């Protein structure tokens, strides 16, 4: 069976659209709130002291249910649905690649994060083996080059459209209307609309073996960031931060749900040299 047929079968089983007539459901919802700007709030309890635990006891009203991912009769796709709903919010790696033949590809991947800073290391997960690789993974394995771009509110519709299962000869850049900007150290362009982009090169990869079928069904690629591109109004003079008011990042939640980043709070990391002197901490240690 071809990779495209495998993908089609998997998508049919997933039934991503939970609404039936999605367009009707979306039109029934309130309009996008343009006037909601990123802002800071306090934490829920600014008087919290060591040993206090959670700020609510509601969790005590509900027991936790153990779910064996390998339980007899449990479809691995059920684990997929559960994990994308539970491990949230997830950053979306908007990945640009180019084949040796010069065909450009652009697609979003929510199995993406950075895992080290020196050197800058990122990982991306693909739900396919190398043999069954679709365009993005195939291009990375073939050329070893890519860019990772952060998705923001002002182009989320175009970014989502690149997730369509277009054939390899179709460039998602063209059908989405997004702007390719030339990279400096890799061949694939980065996304002009993105406020933060990373040029990257392949370091290594690892295939995952299904415990149900015994066959390779997933691939992890580890890449090194070799160049950054930052929108000038989103950063500081030393290029050490990004302003969330400008970045307006979009995250992936469960199912087909996305999240906006509209508010935050700040918390200092406790210094044990200071904390061990507090009376609350001394009482805890004396027990």
């Amino acid at each position: 069976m071809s990779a495209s047929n495998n993908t089609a079968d998997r998508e049919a089983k997933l039934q991503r659209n939970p609404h039936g007539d999605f367009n009707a459901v979306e039109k029934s919802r309130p309009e996008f709130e343009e006037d909601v700007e990123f802002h800071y709030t306090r934490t829920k309890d600014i008087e919290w002291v060591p040993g206090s635990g959670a700020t609510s006891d509601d969790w005590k009203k509900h027991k936790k249910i153990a779910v064996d991912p390998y339980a007899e009769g449990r479809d691995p796709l059920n684990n997929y649905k559960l994990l994308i709903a539970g491990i949230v919010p997830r950053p979306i790696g908007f990945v640009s690649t180019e084949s040796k033949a010069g065909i450009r590809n652009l697609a979003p991947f929510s199995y993406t994060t950075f895992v080290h800073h020196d050197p800058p290391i990122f990982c991306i997960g693909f739900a396919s083996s190398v043999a069954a690789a679709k365009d993005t993974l195939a291009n990375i394995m073939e050329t070893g080059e890519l860019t990772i771009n952060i998705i923001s509110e002002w182009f989320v519709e175009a970014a989502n459209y690149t997730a369509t299962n277009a054939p390899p000869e179709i460039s998602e850049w063209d059908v989405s209307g997004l702007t390719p900007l030339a990279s400096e150290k890799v061949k694939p362009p980065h996304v002009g609309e993105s406020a933060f982009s990373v040029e990257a090169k392949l370091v290594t990869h690892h295939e995952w073996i299904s415990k149900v079928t015994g066959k390779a069904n997933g691939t992890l690629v580890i890449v090194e960031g070799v160049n950054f591109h930052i929108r000038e109004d989103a950063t500081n003079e030393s290029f050490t931060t990004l302003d969330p008011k400008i970045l307006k990042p979009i995250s992936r939640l469960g199912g087909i749900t996305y999240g906006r980043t509209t508010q935050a709070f700040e918390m200092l990391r406790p210094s044990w040299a200071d904390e061990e002197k507090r009376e609350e901490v001394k009482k805890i240690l004396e027990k």
Side-chain angles (χ1 to χ4, degrees):
M1 182 179 288
S2 68
S4 59
N5 286 338
N6 274 322
T7 301
D9 290 345
R10 180 173 176 273
E11 288 298 312
K13 289 180 68 177
L14 279 174
Q15 297 179 328
R16 292 185 190 274
N17 179 10
H19 302 296
D21 188 348
F22 175 76
N23 289 335
V25 171
E26 186 174 37
K27 288 178 180 178
S28 71
R29 292 171 172 165
E31 292 186 2
F32 187 88
E33 297 175 348
E34 293 279 3
D35 58 345
V36 177
E37 294 189 359
F38 177 87
H39 60 282
Y40 287 99
T41 70
R42 299 177 179 180
T43 59
K44 188 173 181 179
D45 182 5
I46 60 174
E47 302 298 332
W48 187 94
V49 294
S52 296
T55 56
S56 169
D57 288 337
D58 284 351
W59 63 273
K60 293 181 179 180
K61 302 175 183 178
H62 308 279
K63 67 178 183 179
K64 297 182 78 171
I65 304 168
V67 178
D68 183 348
Y70 304 117
E72 184 177 354
R74 183 172 174 84
D75 191 319
L77 288 180
N78 290 337
N79 295 331
Y80 169 78
K81 290 180 178 180
L82 175 64
L83 291 171
I84 65 170
I87 310 302
V88 292
R90 300 189 308 281
I92 307 168
F94 199 26
V95 179
S96 163
T97 58
E98 187 169 329
S99 70
K100 284 186 176 180
I103 299 174
R104 292 174 172 176
N105 183 262
L106 187 62
F109 295 90
S110 67
Y111 289 176
T112 303
T113 192
F114 88 96
V115 294
H116 197 55
H117 64 282
D118 182 23
I121 299 295
F122 302 78
C123 63
I124 308 171
F126 297 87
S128 72
S129 64
V130 173
K134 294 192 291 182
D135 303 343
T136 300
L137 177 56
N139 290 346
I140 293 173
M141 298 306 298
E142 182 181 41
T143 69
E145 297 187 341
L146 64 151
T147 71
I148 301 171
N149 307 269
I150 294 301
I151 297 175
S152 297
E153 291 181 7
W154 57 85
F155 67 101
V156 66
E157 295 87 355
N160 181 67
Y161 195 76
T162 66
T164 183
N165 55 339
E169 66 273 13
I170 299 298
S171 170
E172 288 81 4
W173 291 95
D174 296 334
V175 297
S176 68
L178 291 172
T179 307
L181 295 182
S183 297
E184 297 177 359
K185 299 181 180 180
V186 299
K187 191 172 182 182
H190 57 280
V191 178
E193 289 78 0
S194 178
F196 184 59
S197 301
V198 179
E199 297 181 31
K201 294 186 178 182
L202 178 65
V203 175
T204 188
H205 77 282
H206 178 81
E207 286 192 302
W208 304 111
I209 306 299
S210 167
K211 292 193 174 182
V212 176
T213 66
K215 298 179 180 179
N217 69 344
T219 306
L220 169 71
V221 299
I222 299 174
V223 304
E224 178 185 351
V226 296
N227 209 23
F228 305 141
H229 297 271
I230 313 171
R231 204 172 100 174
E232 60 182 1
D233 62 334
T235 190
N236 56 1
E237 292 183 358
S238 58
F239 310 124
T240 57
T241 190
L242 287 163
D243 186 348
K245 291 182 181 179
I246 304 297
L247 186 61
K248 296 184 177 180
I250 294 293
S251 61
R252 195 66 193 267
L253 305 178
I256 59 173
T257 305
Y258 291 80
R260 300 172 68 188
T261 306
T262 58
Q263 62 176 258
F265 50 80
E266 295 180 316
M267 299 179 71
L268 294 174
R269 178 178 294 189
S271 167
W272 184 248
D274 296 327
E275 294 301 308
E276 65 179 346
K277 300 174 185 176
R278 295 179 60 170
E279 290 303 317
E280 301 92 345
V281 174
K282 290 179 180 178
K283 290 179 180 179
I284 294 171
L285 298 178
E286 289 172 358
K287 293 180 180 179

